[in-house]
Amino acid sequence: MNKEYTSGASPEQEPSDTISLPSHVAGSGSLDRLVDTASDYARAAASDNTLTAYAKDWAHFARWCRMKGAEPLPPSPEMIGLYLADLASGSARSPALSVSTIDRRLSGLAWNYAQRGFALDRKNRHIATVLAGIKRKHARPPVQKEAILAGDIRAMVATLPFDLRGIRDRAILLLGYAGGLRRSEIVSLDVHKDDTPDSGGWIEIFDKGTLLTLNAKTGWREVEIGRGSSDQTCPVHALEQWLHFSKINYGPVFVRTSRDGKRALEARLNDKHVARLIKHTVLDTNIRSDLPEKERLALFSGHSLRAGLASSAEVDERYVQKQLGHASAEMTRRYQRRRDRFRVNLTKAAGL
């Protein structure tokens, strides 16, 4: 069957999630199978969370266009520039958005236009100059989450009980801290390669530690986590304990437990559990107890584990950069909450 791509400009046009044959090429069984295979790869190009966010970005922009008596298709740099200005200035009903959120919205629009067969030129002056002005006028330094340091993580895991749920949560915190993992990376782990369709990686346990193979934003990467100095704080031992008592030998590593906390279920944990676990254990310890509870909760998130590793590990910065999967040392330094910024003194090196 011959498949043909059409690029009609209906405002309600949905993004195409399939790859099509050119109209001048006759279809065949082998070509159609390749089209289906390519479509599967195309759908895997972005995570479900990203696709959900992009869909919301398009719905918001399309609704804004209708309210202004305009059409979202084809792309109009002039209207998009006005849309960005509206997001930045805000109104009584819609408060102004942050620069990072506006940037994300623009990326969502570019993706949506590409799926509908259009190219959005972000360098067009109607878009680029407005966005540059927004960044110059409204940009603020990024709000950094508090780093969870070595003493903090030891105190946090000490608050957990030794039932099945506590054993699981202890493994989550220690593995996330030692690996500098994102919360999505923690919960997406499987026991073996290709155990589940939604796997984000798998584990291998050795005498000296565990090797995590992760499907990161920039491709596959390996994270090596060595054994700790004691079983109480060893992330590999905690992982082994969880797998043993939960009787998990296939599928997701971290799953839900029964209400009584005695049985491991089949459903994979949501990454929000990691954030809730961090906040809950922070409150149960004396970490930043000088602050009111609301402020303490706001200071810590899943990123606190990554920032903690970056700030605490007394090793060459290159090793921390590799563990976190950062493309540059500059990105790693953003995660380091305490470091000797003047260790390399270029003033003295220059002869002053």
Side-chain angles (χ1 to χ4, degrees), residues 1-60:
M1 178 178 170
N2 192 23
K3 298 185 180 182
E4 195 170 309
Y5 175 77
T6 59
S7 58
S10 166
E12 302 302 324
Q13 180 181 343
E14 292 299 320
S16 173
D17 60 358
T18 59
I19 301 298
S20 304
L21 288 175
S23 58
H24 63 277
V25 175
S28 67
S30 60
L31 280 177
D32 286 348
R33 284 193 294 274
L34 283 175
V35 166
D36 292 338
T37 301
S39 297
D40 289 339
Y41 283 130
R43 282 190 286 270
S47 69
D48 290 341
N49 287 343
T50 300
L51 294 177
T52 299
Y54 284 170
K56 291 180 179 178
D57 292 339
W58 181 257
H60 186 273

Side-chain angles (χ1 to χ4, degrees), residues 75 77 80 106 110 113 118-128:
I80 293 174
L106 184 56
Y113 276 123
F118 298 97
L120 176 62
D121 182 10
R122 295 182 57 158
K123 294 182 180 179
N124 182 286
R125 65 184 182 86
H126 294 285
I127 297 175

